Structures are given as C-alpha cells and as structure tokens.
Amino acid sequence: MAVVMKEHIRNAADRVYRYMTESRSTDWGMNIHEWDWVPGVGTIALLHYYDRTGNKDVLDYLIRWVERNQEKAGRTKVINSMAPFAIFPRLYELTKETYYLDQAKQISQWIVQEAPRTREGAFEHTVTEKDSFPEQVWADTIFMAVLLLARTAKATNDASLATQALEQVSLHLRLLQDEATGVLFHGWNCVKEDHLSAARWTRANAWVCVAVPEILQEIAGLVAIPEQIRESYKRMMDGLITYQNEHGLWHTVMDRSDFYQETSGSAGIACGMMLAIRTGMLNESYRVHVSKALDGVLSKINATGEVNSVSGGTPIMPTIEAYQSIEQIPTLYGQGLVLMLLAECSGLA
C-alpha cells in the first residue's frame, strides 16, 4: 500500500476516533456514556485502535470512560449489555488493576450460568429494551457476549470458559448459516425451526466476521478448535464475496441490490477478512476484497469524521422489505466498525 494511501487511512481513522470521543450527543446512537451494546461496540473498537496504534491517549480515554461509567456496569444483565465488559480483560493486562479482571470473571460467570438459553443451548438474544425474543438466536450475540467469554478465558487460563465460547460459535454458525450461499441469516427461531424473515442481513454477518477470528485465537491454547468451524467461516466469507458490489460495499440486505449500501456492515466484513488473514484463517488472496471495501468505506467518511450510511438499531424485521425502512443515523457501532477496519489497514502495527 502506498505511503500516501496509508497516511490517508491514518487521517481518516483519527477523524473517526475524534468524532466518537469528542461528541457530546445524547442521541441513542452516539451517546457513549450508556452501558449497552452501542457504546460497548464503540469502546471495543477504541481498544482495537489502541492495540494497533499504541496511541496512549486512546488508552487513557478508555480508563477514564470506565471510571465515569462503572456505576452503570451490570445494572441490567442482558446479552447486549455485556458488550462493554469485553474491554476489561485487556485493560487488566495493560494496567494490572484487579478490578477489571474481577468484573470480567463475575460477568462471564453470569453469562454461562444464568443467561437464558434456547432449547438448542445457544444464548437467547436479550436486550435492555422492553422487547423480548424468546427462543431466538441472533448473530449479534457472538460479538456482544461470546467475545467477552473468550477474552476472559485467555486472561484467566480457564478452559471451561473457552469451551463455552467455542460451543456458542459452533451453535450460531450451525443454526444461522445458509446452506445455499454460505452467508448467515440474521436469526433463528428454535420453536418454529426457521430463520424468521430469512434476511441475509449484512451487519449480522459483520458481527460474526469480526468476532470469530479473535475468539478462536484467544481460546486456541485452551481447547481444540474443530476444523469444521474454520471451514464454515471460510464458506461464509466466500459467500459474502459474491454479494460485494462494484463500489466495494454490501447492501443492507446483501442479496437485495435495490436496497441502500450499508457502511457499518461493509466495514465489519472487510475488517473480519483482515483479521482472518492475520490469524491464518484466510489466505492473502482475500486482501483484494478488503481493498475494494476500504475504498467504499472511505468514501462514506465526511470531513468531521462522521460515518454516513449506517443503519440504526435493527431487530429481526418481520419482512425483508422492512429492513429497507430502517433509518440511517450516526452511531458508535458504525464509527467503531469503520475504525477497526481503518486500524487493520493502516500499517501502524
């Protein structure tokens, strides 16, 4: 990658980072001082940015963020509110403050022992809102909760936690993967044994694309990884490539080219490819698809660092057509997934 391009990526990453951390917005999508999945994805991305750049300001921000918001931690225990805890094992590693590790262990035990499960044994996707989705498996859960289990397993050398994380990855891939295309459906209903509206939703695939390479890397020394999981992941990626459009992006429902192009999911898929290449799950030939996606994502970042064309919060919609009606708004998860991709592509490691 040319030096000029690397500098362009670094500048874009800095703008995205500042838009996230300097915003005083109290809007749902950009309020970083809540304890839920939206700021959770944002903080996970900031930590990833720190790990790839070594920018101490980013680490200082995260430490202060926890100090400001820790009284909210664990107030509502659902799958989505587990996301912010995923930064705790790494913060312990960096600071040696036992608070982080104690919290990570406590919350991980809640997930394993008390979080509702479907009859298939997968974690039921639960949210902080009043809505409930009994016996439903969502792709989102892998990023929001299973990533924490894997990181805590590594930090504590806990093979039982690693086994739980591996089981959830296996279950989610088995239940959500489309046999015909290899990509994932948004969700699975364990009662009706169907994929609900059967949407091949782009951001659902992105959550799994990003999370699985790290989960497997974290737990590899604690449990044997079946080759079938790696094969399923590669089949997903091969399927996703077929839906990448001429601009390098994916539509919000990927097999509906008449739907809008969605930046957060596109960035997540491309970031997942980079992570999978880096961890040996994919070979270098996939990098061309990352480069195409990177060009498309960069075109969606404005001068202030705001990432455009990001779909708002999206439950499993009743019909595929309904996904097109989701509003496009600035969000911390949109910023975050883009920041993760830029960090992976910046050559700063």
Side-chain angles (χ1 to χ4, degrees):
M1 189 180 294
V3 173
V4 173
M5 184 59 174
K6 285 187 178 181
E7 192 62 29
H8 180 44
I9 295 168
R10 292 172 185 173
N11 289 338
D14 183 65
R15 295 200 313 274
V16 171
Y17 160 66
R18 294 188 184 283
Y19 191 88
M20 295 173 74
T21 56
E22 295 176 3
S23 171
R24 297 183 181 275
S25 175
T26 57
D27 292 346
W28 174 86
M30 285 302 301
N31 186 357
I32 202 165
H33 296 301
E34 293 295 330
W35 198 278
D36 202 357
W37 71 277
V38 177
V41 176
T43 53
I44 290 168
L46 291 173
L47 182 60
H48 188 84
Y49 185 47
Y50 167 75
D51 279 336
R52 299 297 286 160
T53 64
N55 184 340
K56 189 175 182 297
D57 289 343
V58 182
L59 178 59
D60 290 343
Y61 178 89
L62 286 169
I63 291 170
R64 293 195 304 271
W65 182 87
V66 174
E67 291 172 351
R68 286 194 300 267
N69 296 288
Q70 61 186 348
E71 78 281 355
K72 303 169 188 174
R75 188 179 294 171
T76 302
K77 289 188 174 72
V78 293
I79 286 297
N80 267 355
S81 68
M82 298 297 102
F85 289 107
I87 68 173
F88 279 36
R90 178 65 173 143
L91 289 182
Y92 167 72
E93 185 179 333
L94 292 165
T95 68
K96 302 307 178 186
E97 291 288 339
T98 57
Y99 165 78
Y100 298 115
L101 189 61
D102 291 344
Q103 286 287 298
K105 290 193 292 186
Q106 178 183 325
I107 292 300
S108 293
Q109 288 306 312
W110 177 84
I111 295 173
V112 169
Q113 296 175 10
E114 299 185 49
R117 299 192 187 220
T118 69
R119 64 192 63 191
E120 303 273 8
F123 296 134
E124 186 177 289
H125 193 77
T126 50
V127 298
T128 51
E129 295 85 0
K130 293 181 180 179
D131 295 321
S132 64
F133 309 99
E135 291 285 350
Q136 288 188 19
V137 179
W138 292 19
D140 314 44
T141 298
I142 295 295
F143 191 99
M144 305 308 163
V146 181
L147 182 59
L148 166 62
L149 294 185
R151 289 180 172 181
T152 307
K154 180 181 179 182
T156 59
N157 202 35
D158 189 332
S160 64
L161 275 185
T163 299
Q164 290 285 336
L166 182 64
E167 178 186 25
Q168 291 301 317
V169 169
S170 179
L171 276 169
H172 281 71
L173 287 172
R174 177 170 66 82
L175 295 173
L176 298 176
Q177 193 155 35
D178 177 18
E179 286 298 320
T181 65
V183 305
L184 306 187
F185 293 107
H186 190 171
W188 169 259
N189 185 313
C190 293
V191 177
K192 296 183 178 180
E193 297 189 342
D194 64 20
H195 291 105
L196 297 109
S197 57
R200 298 177 180 91
W201 184 48
T202 289
R203 196 160 65 229
N205 284 261
W207 296 132
V208 175
C209 287
V210 172
V212 166
E214 181 180 344
I215 289 170
L216 298 188
Q217 186 177 45
E218 297 285 82
I219 65 176
L222 298 169
V223 64
I225 310 296
E227 189 59 30
Q228 182 181 359
I229 289 181
R230 291 189 174 90
E231 290 172 356
S232 293
Y233 184 88
K234 183 179 182 300
R235 193 155 57 89
M236 173 183 65
M237 282 301 193
D238 288 341
L240 288 169
I241 286 167
T242 67
Y243 292 110
Q244 188 176 24
N245 67 27
E246 67 273 18
H247 304 291
L249 301 175
W250 283 261
H251 299 269
T252 191
V253 175
M254 66 184 66
D255 54 345
R256 289 296 301 266
S257 59
D258 54 327
F259 284 16
Y260 63 82
Q261 299 174 94
E262 207 281 321
T263 310
S264 68
S266 297
I269 291 168
C271 180
M273 284 186 191
M274 283 296 291
L275 290 169
I277 292 168
R278 182 151 62 86
T279 58
M281 293 180 68
L282 296 176
N283 64 43
E284 288 288 331
S285 68
Y286 290 82
R287 200 176 289 269
V288 65
H289 301 286
V290 176
S291 295
K292 286 174 59 180
L294 177 63
D295 288 342
V297 168
L298 285 169
S299 74
K300 300 295 185 180
I301 305 170
N302 70 21
T304 68
E306 179 183 303
V307 176
N308 298 313
S309 302
V310 173
S311 60
T314 309
I316 297 175
M317 302 299 284
T319 65
I320 290 175
E321 293 294 333
Y323 283 82
Q324 176 73 341
S325 69
I326 299 295
E327 64 177 338
Q328 299 172 56
I329 57 173
T331 69
L332 291 163
Y333 56 82
Q335 301 289 131
L337 288 169
V338 167
L339 185 62
M340 291 179 76
L341 172 62
L342 297 178
E344 282 298 309
C345 294
S346 64
L348 294 176

